[in-house]
Amino acid sequence: MTHCAISDLLAGKYAVGETVTLKGWVRTVRSNPNFAFLNVNDGSCFDPIQAVIDNTLANYEEITKLTVACSVEVTGELVESQGKGQKFEIQAQTVNIVGLVEDPDTYPMAAKRHTVEHMREYAHLRPRTNMFGAVARVRNCLSQAIHRFFHESGYVWVATPIITASDTEGAGEMFRVSTLDMNNLPRLENGEVDYNEDFFGKEAFLTVSGQLNGETYCSALSKIYTFGPTFRAENSNTSRHLAEFWMVEPEIAFADLADVAQVAEDMLKYVFKAVLEERMDDLQFFDLRVQKGVVERLQKLANAEFVRMDYTDAIDILQKSGKKFEFPVEWGVDLSSEHERYLAEEHVGAPIILQNYPKDIKAFYMRMNEDGKTVAAMDVLAPGIGEIIGGSQREERIDVLDTRMKEMGLDPVDYGWYRDLRRYGSVPHGGFGLGFERLVAYVTGMGNVRDVIPFPRTPKSATF
Ligand code: 4AD
């Protein structure tokens, strides 16, 4: 490439006096009869760079008429800036206008503040705004940091399938994958659909989690992780739920619940530190415009002790809190977000790793505790958002697993390959799933997971 990224220019990677070329999109234009100032951004960092344009340039008139989002190529000398808040600018020698904006008055991302709801209607144009550019860079920084964390800790990244026959979470929230003609479904004698006739010769779905497949590789390579899209057909219209979201799922052999919890804590702190180091420009924007205090919160969390707490103790704390919750609290209920928030925000004021949940509200694969009532499950609850991680030690004892499956109405025969892991060299193991969009929403302070994934998929919405 013959041009420079603005991030490199602003970071001082080019010498003052050097002739440079940059390519990007106009943010603002100010002009008087002698000079024009063109702010150009290329998305490589939060800040644009200013090009100073002298009226001697042949196309000066045209340049002064540029509007937000026109694309340009500017060549000129890199000079130190006299202006406040910017170190460098470009004294332009040529400005090539690459693409104009057809009708600036109706351009949907014109330079004014828009609501996030408005911007959701323009998912194809919103990455051009300060806010969505910053979200995209922070999201990228977090994914790279996650891969780095696991790579440095000796994990193997495993690609688990997107199309699957198993309902890992057993919650019946799967999207069907089928090539059958909906208007002419093949039927069995009893009237049920004949999936033998379908593409895979059986029922197939989009995965809700890569965990079960992940367990197969951890049972050979010791430490693995998956990082990919997962799908849930749950009709939850909340700020924390998507029908398509990304999940990070490590799976660790020879590990118990305490080991799994420690990996979750170490991973979160590692990625918090990475984003503080690498994306302070974007974080400052979120702090100023989106949620006051996000930077301080991250700094605190990066060094905080995550508190371990048993589910049973949490119920006790909630019952004694004197708070009036919308959903009543008693031993055995699944905690709702108001409970999680009370615990993490008001009671502890730090992330909590909540452990040992009642077996009846958890999945079949979680390891039964000695008490026969609870399983070795854990959720990480973060102040300000609630659950961002769910995990567990897995049941490695085949007899206990079979009993549990039958209790939950599952047929062990359907899980033959999963049971094999317990038949051939079974080991204690466990892992967790991090909801990646919940992490990005938390780090940026963005209030809704729909605004931290480029093209959100939610009930009644899959336009772009
Ligand atoms: O607690 P969940 O359902 O756990 C599992 O799927 C396990 N198999 C993971 C494992 O142990 N390998 O989901 C894990 C996380 C949740 O804590 C939440 O952050 C996120 O995934 N999540 C969602 N994020 C966005 N939209 C949804 N609909 C989500 N459902 C779960």
Side-chain angles (χ1 to χ4, degrees):
M1 260 197 302
T2 53
H3 63 279
C4 323
I6 293 175
S7 54
D8 288 342
L9 287 176
L10 296 179
K13 292 194 182 161
Y14 293 84
V16 167
E18 219 176 307
T19 298
V20 294
T21 297
L22 67 94
K23 300 183 184 188
W25 294 268
V26 171
R27 275 294 165 85
T28 57
V29 190
R30 288 176 294 131
S31 63
N32 62 39
N34 303 322
F35 296 104
F37 300 99
L38 209 58
N39 261 311
V40 180
N41 187 274
D42 65 1
S44 60
C45 57
F46 186 84
D47 287 318
I49 195 163
Q50 175 164 281
V52 183
I53 294 130
D54 197 290
N55 69 0
T56 52
L57 256 63
N59 57 350
Y60 184 75
E61 271 302 303
E62 280 171 79
I63 296 168
T64 59
K65 291 191 188 118
L66 288 172
T67 55
V68 65
C70 292
S71 46
V72 291
E73 177 182 330
V74 180
T75 298
E77 185 187 335
L78 187 67
V79 294
E80 276 178 37
S81 173
Q82 310 297 317
K84 226 175 99 217
Q86 54 196 21
K87 240 163 127 188
F88 303 106
E89 59 190 26
I90 291 176
Q91 188 62 51
Q93 289 146 5
T94 59
V95 176
N96 290 337
I97 299 169
V98 181
L100 289 172
V101 167
E102 253 181 40
D103 181 3
D105 292 336
T106 58
Y107 175 59
M109 294 291 123
K112 63 172 187 132
R113 287 218 202 148
H114 301 282
T115 62
V116 283
E117 288 79 14
H118 171 82
M119 290 192 275
R120 255 176 240 151
E121 302 286 311
Y122 295 95
H124 60 306
L125 298 177
R126 67 179 186 172
R128 298 158 178 232
T129 61
N130 276 336
M131 182 184 279
F132 287 89
V135 167
R137 282 184 298 272
V138 168
R139 186 180 164 107
N140 172 57
C141 171
L142 287 168
S143 353
Q144 304 286 355
I146 284 168
H147 282 299
R148 254 191 344 266
F149 170 80
F150 285 118
H151 181 64
E152 287 168 8
S153 317
Y155 286 69
V156 175
W157 180 26
V158 172
T160 48
I162 291 194
I163 300 174
T164 175
S166 10
D167 183 0
T168 306
E169 294 308 300
E173 293 166 340
M174 311 234 282
F175 288 103
R176 184 181 297 285
V177 177
S178 171
T179 52
L180 293 178
D181 176 359
M182 299 270 273
N183 297 316
N184 190 19
L185 290 171
R187 299 277 173 190
L188 294 166
E189 273 177 14
N190 65 6
E192 285 178 8
V193 177
D194 183 1
Y195 287 106
N196 278 318
E197 298 288 315
D198 207 345
F199 188 90
F200 295 106
K202 64 192 299 196
E203 287 185 273
F205 306 90
L206 294 180
T207 186
V208 295
S209 157
Q211 178 199 320
L212 304 191
N213 298 85
E215 284 183 57
T216 68
Y217 268 69
C218 115
S219 301
L221 298 166
S222 296
K223 295 201 283 187
I224 66 98
Y225 72 106
T226 71
F227 189 174
T230 48
F231 307 85
R232 300 213 180 164
E234 56 187 328
N235 199 7
S236 294
N237 265 303
T238 80
S239 58
R240 309 191 311 153
H241 289 90
L242 291 162
E244 177 178 304
F245 66 98
W246 283 62
M247 197 159 25
V248 178
E249 297 183 272
E251 197 66 34
I252 315 150
F254 303 101
D256 62 14
L257 189 65
D259 298 322
V260 172
Q262 195 58 47
V263 175
E265 177 172 352
D266 293 347
M267 180 199 69
L268 286 174
K269 287 180 175 171
Y270 183 99
V271 303
F272 291 154
K273 283 183 186 142
V275 81
L276 283 163
E277 250 165 53
E278 295 167 29
R279 290 266 56 108
M280 196 44 108
D281 57 345
D282 295 316
L283 289 179
Q284 275 167 348
F285 164 81
F286 291 118
D287 210 284
L288 199 66
R289 289 287 160 78
V290 176
Q291 190 181 328
K292 186 98 210 79
V294 280
V295 172
E296 200 191 327
R297 177 168 82 183
L298 273 188
Q299 284 161 338
K300 260 173 60 192
L301 290 174
N303 298 298
E305 277 286 324
F306 287 24
V307 172
R308 271 72 171 163
M309 185 188 285
D310 263 19
Y311 169 90
T312 302
D313 296 330
I315 293 295
D316 201 41
I317 290 166
L318 290 166
Q319 283 173 334
K320 291 188 177 141
S321 68
K323 279 245 167 201
K324 196 116 194 73
F325 294 112
E326 191 188 337
F327 297 99
V329 183
E330 62 180 76
W331 199 95
V333 300
D334 210 354
L335 298 184
S336 62
S337 67
E338 55 171 347
H339 307 135
E340 293 174 352
R341 282 171 185 227
Y342 172 80
L343 290 168
E345 276 158 48
E346 295 183 45
H347 187 75
V348 173
I352 302 180
I353 303 186
L354 207 57
Q355 312 181 117
N356 301 318
Y357 284 74
K359 67 178 173 121
D360 292 339
I361 55 169
K362 290 292 181 185
F364 73 91
Y365 52 72
M366 297 189 178
R367 192 177 197 277
M368 185 68 74
N369 286 328
E370 297 304 312
D371 61 14
K373 289 195 314 196
T374 60
V375 286
M378 62 134 209
D379 281 355
V380 179
L381 313 180
I385 192 161
E387 180 198 328
I388 56 172
I389 286 181
S392 63
Q393 186 174 338
R394 320 304 187 191
E395 186 53 77
E396 85 284 11
R397 300 161 295 186
I398 193 152
D399 47 335
V400 186
L401 181 69
D402 284 350
T403 311
R404 196 75 190 104
M405 280 184 169
K406 285 181 200 145
E407 245 175 53
M408 297 183 79
L410 302 170
D411 187 352
V413 175
D414 294 340
Y415 291 82
W417 60 268
Y418 188 69
R419 292 176 72 255
D420 276 356
L421 306 177
R422 278 76 184 163
R423 295 173 61 211
Y424 309 133
S426 187
V427 292
H429 66 285
F432 63 80
L434 162 76
F436 187 58
E437 283 70 26
R438 292 201 188 163
L439 175 73
V440 184
Y442 191 52
V443 165
T444 55
M446 296 289 289
N448 195 314
V449 286
R450 295 168 199 215
D451 299 321
V452 299
I453 187 163
F455 300 100
R457 297 286 177 260
T458 51
K460 304 276 180 286
S461 161
T463 308
F464 298 91

